[in-house]
Amino acid sequence: MPSISSKGKAMPESPIRKLVPYSEIAKKKGVKVYHLNIGQPDIKTPEVAMNAIKNLDFKVLEYSHSAGFESYRKKLSAYYTNHSLPIATEDIIITTGGSEALLFAMGSTMDAGDEIIIPEPFYANYNGFSTASGVKVVPVISTIEEGFALPPIADFEKLITPKTKAILICNPGNPTGYLYTKEEIMQLAELVKKHDLFLIADEVYREFTYDGDEHYSVMNIPGLEQHAVMIDSVSKRYSMCGARIGCIVSKNKELMSTAMKFAQARLSPPTFAQIASEAALDTPQSYFDEVISEYKERRDTLITELNQIDGVMVAKPKGAFYCIAKLPVKNADDFAQWLLESYDFNGETVMVAPAAGFYSTPDVGLDEVRIAYVLKKEDLIKSVRILKEALKVYPN
């Protein structure tokens, strides 16, 4: 039998999706499963986006430009400019989701064997993208005790080697919900300039900030133009996860011309989804005001409920719609599977994402889970009640 590639064998499973078979079995047994494991919002997609694709009358479904529709890129540039981000049309390449944008960023900045420094815990698929690109992740650990704030710059600096090509951050963070301050972003900017590195910022949750805190983008920093790479997506902003439309943004012309070669190799991003995404830019501000208010209430509800469980520690998120909770269990992977396979409370259970998969350092985060507060408040209260009751009887 032909052998599978070493790269394929090294590809990590998704901690978010690997327990899906257990949830499917639980549902077939009649158990209601509350999904706290995945960042799939229940917020309605803006009507303006849906209406744009309802009655299209195409005779031929053609390729688009490899960089995406020019009309969309122009409109996206205007959107960014209105949000104080000085981004021109030529600074943007439309991608098939933020995932492809990250692959383009890694492919354009790093060779096999190069290193990328990432504060952990981090979005689990960064491990997968790095493996697919032959790049080594070098983690710098942030802690729940510090609220997952940016680790000291000295911790980054001691990890830099001749193989280091970039630092990658998610801001606001998935899975932590941490929002980096302007001062923290400026510290990273000085570091990458000092060592001539790229600073790749995954900013797909930019709009989701709370308590008056503001997001500060890497695209706002004068003098960082040749180092900064921004990743963006419509998935969370407009609750359009299935559209699979994102973009890679940079003012570094050599990087963008390189990313364009990757874009040409995959031909073009999907046409219908680009049309919907372009229309979504006309979404009124009132939509976002309501969504942010709803997520803040959900966050406050979730954190309040979790803090009432003995032995649970949780870092209050400042953005996005996730938090990391430390549980009084030895292995959250086993606990998450047990919740689906062997436990229900009045015919209901919960699905969480074991947090160890959001680290690349072995044996870290074993007692942590990521929780997405994408359910209505009543369901979040029920979910935490189930967790509380489950922890009382779990054979730890």
Side-chain angles (χ1 to χ4, degrees):
M1 175 180 170
S3 61
I4 301 300
S5 69
S6 298
K7 181 188 291 185
K9 291 177 181 177
M11 279 292 286
E13 284 187 299
S14 167
I16 306 165
R17 296 176 181 267
K18 69 179 182 178
L19 295 172
V20 166
Y22 298 101
S23 72
E24 291 173 340
I25 292 171
K27 290 173 185 176
K28 287 178 181 177
K29 292 191 295 187
V31 177
K32 179 178 176 62
V33 178
Y34 291 100
H35 286 273
L36 303 177
N37 62 303
I38 192 166
Q40 172 58 64
D42 63 355
I43 303 296
K44 284 187 177 180
T45 302
E47 286 187 17
V48 67
M50 301 302 285
N51 290 338
I53 57 174
K54 276 183 179 177
N55 298 304
L56 290 173
D57 184 23
F58 284 135
K59 304 303 181 188
V60 179
L61 191 56
E62 298 178 345
Y63 291 122
S64 76
H65 191 288
S66 291
F69 293 143
E70 185 177 14
S71 60
Y72 179 31
R73 287 180 284 125
K74 283 183 176 179
K75 201 169 175 181
L76 196 53
S77 169
Y79 170 85
Y80 287 134
T81 301
N82 288 337
H83 286 75
S84 302
L85 296 176
I87 295 169
T89 304
E90 59 269 23
D91 301 333
I92 303 168
I93 292 176
I94 305 303
T95 58
T96 308
S99 299
E100 187 176 70
L102 280 159
L103 285 168
F104 286 1
M106 288 187 179
S108 300
T109 61
M110 285 167 269
D111 292 311
D114 284 341
E115 298 174 353
I116 183 168
I117 299 174
I118 314 178
E120 63 177 357
F122 51 72
Y123 177 46
N125 282 334
Y126 294 166
N127 275 325
F129 301 146
S130 300
T131 300
S133 302
V135 172
K136 180 183 177 183
V137 171
V138 178
V140 54
I141 297 178
S142 62
T143 66
I144 193 169
E145 289 79 12
E146 296 295 325
F148 298 109
L150 188 76
I153 289 298
D155 290 359
F156 284 87
E157 199 146 26
K158 67 185 180 184
L159 297 173
I160 294 173
T161 74
K163 287 283 188 180
T164 307
K165 294 297 172 66
I167 294 172
L168 169 60
I169 60 170
C170 186
N171 186 33
N174 175 6
T176 65
Y178 185 77
L179 177 68
Y180 292 112
T181 65
K182 178 179 178 179
E183 290 71 26
E184 288 172 326
I185 296 296
M186 293 302 293
Q187 287 178 343
L188 288 173
E190 292 304 314
L191 182 67
V192 298
K193 285 192 288 186
K194 176 180 177 181
H195 293 278
D196 201 22
L197 307 174
F198 289 101
L199 178 57
I200 304 171
D202 182 346
E203 299 186 358
V204 304
Y205 299 96
R206 180 190 307 108
E207 279 78 11
F208 302 100
T209 63
Y210 315 111
D211 307 322
D213 291 322
E214 294 185 3
H215 177 266
Y216 193 72
S217 173
V218 295
M219 301 303 293
N220 280 125
I221 305 174
L224 200 67
E225 291 83 2
Q226 300 308 305
H227 303 265
V229 184
M230 185 180 85
I231 306 300
D232 205 358
S233 167
V234 304
S235 290
K236 314 302 181 179
R237 179 176 304 128
Y238 303 110
S239 194
M240 290 173 61
C241 296
R244 309 313 307 135
I245 292 292
C247 61
I248 178 173
V249 178
S250 181
K251 292 188 173 296
N252 183 315
K253 295 188 182 304
E254 185 178 11
L255 183 148
M256 292 302 283
S257 64
T258 303
M260 187 60 181
K261 290 186 282 187
F262 286 92
Q264 290 169 346
R266 64 83 166 99
L267 306 183
S268 67
T271 294
F272 282 157
Q274 286 187 82
I275 292 170
S277 299
E278 183 174 335
L281 290 168
D282 293 325
T283 302
Q285 182 59 40
S286 58
Y287 172 90
F288 297 105
D289 293 341
E290 291 175 11
V291 170
I292 298 303
S293 176
E294 176 65 21
Y295 276 129
K296 182 182 183 301
E297 289 184 23
R298 293 180 181 187
R299 178 203 64 172
D300 293 345
T301 298
L302 176 67
I303 299 303
T304 298
E305 296 297 317
L306 286 172
N307 280 331
Q308 293 177 16
I309 304 178
D310 289 340
V312 170
M313 177 187 293
V314 60
K316 187 176 183 179
K318 298 180 179 181
F321 38 69
Y322 309 100
C323 70
I324 291 284
K326 183 189 287 285
L327 305 180
V329 300
K330 294 177 182 176
N331 190 306
D333 235 309
D334 292 342
F335 177 62
Q337 183 174 330
W338 174 83
L339 281 169
L340 296 169
E341 200 173 31
S342 306
Y343 180 79
D344 72 88
F345 180 70
N346 296 331
E348 299 180 331
T349 192
V350 295
M351 187 174 180
V352 294
F358 295 90
Y359 292 84
S360 62
T361 302
D363 301 325
V364 176
L366 293 178
D367 57 353
E368 297 174 358
V369 295
R370 186 193 75 167
I371 295 175
Y373 46 94
V374 292
L375 304 180
K376 59 185 180 181
K377 294 186 287 294
E378 295 82 2
D379 289 346
L380 289 172
I381 292 171
K382 289 179 183 177
S383 298
V384 178
R385 172 75 187 281
I386 293 167
L387 272 178
K388 182 177 182 179
E389 297 302 322
L391 286 167
K392 291 177 182 178
V393 298
Y394 176 59
N396 199 359

